Amino acid sequence: MTHAIGEAPGKVLLIGEHAVVYGHPAIAIPVRGVQARVEVELTRHGGMELLAPDLQGPEAKGDHADAIAPLLRLANSVLELFGEGSQGVRLVIQSTIPIGHGMGSGAAVSVAIVKGICAALGRTLTPDQVSELALEAEREFHGNPSGVDSAVVARNEPIYFVRGKPPQTIAVGSETFRFLIADTGIPSPTYKVVNDVKALRDREPARVDSYLWELGSMASVMREIIRGGSAQELGVCMNHSHGILRELGVSSSDLDRLVEAAVEKGGLGAKMTGAGRGGAMIALLGSATDEERLSAELRLAGAQEIYSTTLGGG
Ligand code: PMV
């Protein structure tokens, strides 16, 4: 086959952003309502071409401004891995995942490229091999990525992730967890916020390490809740983690406003998600929470876009 499609979902972090960079556990879940899609065409005459209107348009700032060259290098690495380095390739990338909003758009595009080229060559890789390749491109975007983004979008399942170790898929128990993700509409380059946390840790190691350790411990508690606990318990953990992320200085007034609105207007818990300072927050709905009403309240509190996703229930 010379023509194929590669796809990957968006993602959010349920717990452990920033802590995961320092070796603590995190939980990430796919957001399947948004996705990156890459059309791959192999050509015998060599050469590489990449068309990415969503990445190259006026929105393409921050982490994605120089995305094209790393993505071409990634495509070349996949071809070379299979001894097909002389093949030419044409990639057309489309993505509905907002760029720089903590929803894993860079990782999803990279994973979709790897999957699409594999499909075009008629070859397969394990999800861990796919995410390892995609991580090469992410290193060029972010500098020091933990790898959690590429791991969750390559698996398309909720994962418990510790840097440098194989991710573990989390089997959801009998509870269905319903979430709303509300985007502030403000892009925030991950590498800048990660660098700021590093600078704070250099200045105040004991305080920052105790926060990072607490976030990591909560990831283990939340994994058990997803396997067999209640949505109420998960909500408590989410609220607590938002407080810690505020102490780390990675929230913002826009994110705090959305988190407060979610909790006041019927959510069981809420927190910012991803690097912070902009991007999105995630709210957990109770069984009695009216999704449309809460979405309207979040829009009143400043949300520019709202996405929903669930864990479990089928
Ligand atoms: O790309 P974002 O905004 O979802 O941030 C990823 C989470 C961080 O822990 C802040 C960075 C990382 O590499 O894990």
Side-chain angles (χ1 to χ4, degrees), residues 57-136:
E59 291 291 305
K61 295 196 181 72
D63 289 354
H64 284 256
D66 302 316
I68 305 306
L71 294 178
L72 287 174
R73 278 192 283 278
L74 171 64
N76 196 45
S77 305
V78 183
L79 290 171
E80 283 187 349
L81 179 73
F82 294 114
E84 301 278 359
S86 61
Q87 291 260 19
V89 68
R90 183 171 189 271
L91 303 167
V92 181
I93 301 176
Q94 284 169 317
S95 176
T96 54
I97 308 170
I99 296 169
H101 292 215
M103 291 182 68
S105 78
V109 166
S110 300
V111 165
I113 287 176
V114 177
K115 286 188 166 179
I117 294 177
C118 286
L121 292 171
R123 309 296 285 255
T124 46
L125 292 172
T126 64
D128 290 351
Q129 288 171 317
V130 171
S131 67
E132 203 45 52
L133 279 161
L135 190 55
E136 284 300 315

Side-chain angles (χ1 to χ4, degrees), residues 14-15 25-27 159-160 168-175 177 216-231 233-234 237 311:
L14 211 48
I15 182 74
I27 295 175
I159 59 164
Y160 177 86
Q168 296 168 17
T169 299
I170 307 175
V172 184
S174 56
E175 181 90 77
F177 301 94
S217 307
M218 284 173 68
S220 303
V221 172
M222 287 168 78
R223 175 177 58 174
E224 293 319 305
I225 296 172
I226 293 169
R227 283 173 170 165
S230 69
E233 292 174 288
L234 199 68
C237 293
L311 269 187

Side-chain angles (χ1 to χ4, degrees), residues 228-252:
S230 69
Q232 275 79 5
E233 292 174 288
L234 199 68
V236 170
C237 293
M238 289 170 68
N239 289 337
H240 187 57
S241 72
H242 185 71
I244 299 174
L245 290 163
R246 283 188 62 167
E247 291 295 330
L248 283 174
V250 297
S251 190
S252 68

Side-chain angles (χ1 to χ4, degrees), residues 11 13 17-18 20-21 102-103 142 144-146 148-149 190 194 274-275:
K11 74 98 213 343
L13 280 159
E17 43 276 275
H18 293 290
V20 69
V21 173
M103 291 182 68
H142 289 189
N144 182 25
S146 64
V148 65
D149 285 16
T190 299
V194 169

Side-chain angles (χ1 to χ4, degrees), residues 7 10 65 184 192 257:
E7 289 173 337
T184 60
K192 276 196 192 151
R257 203 175 313 118

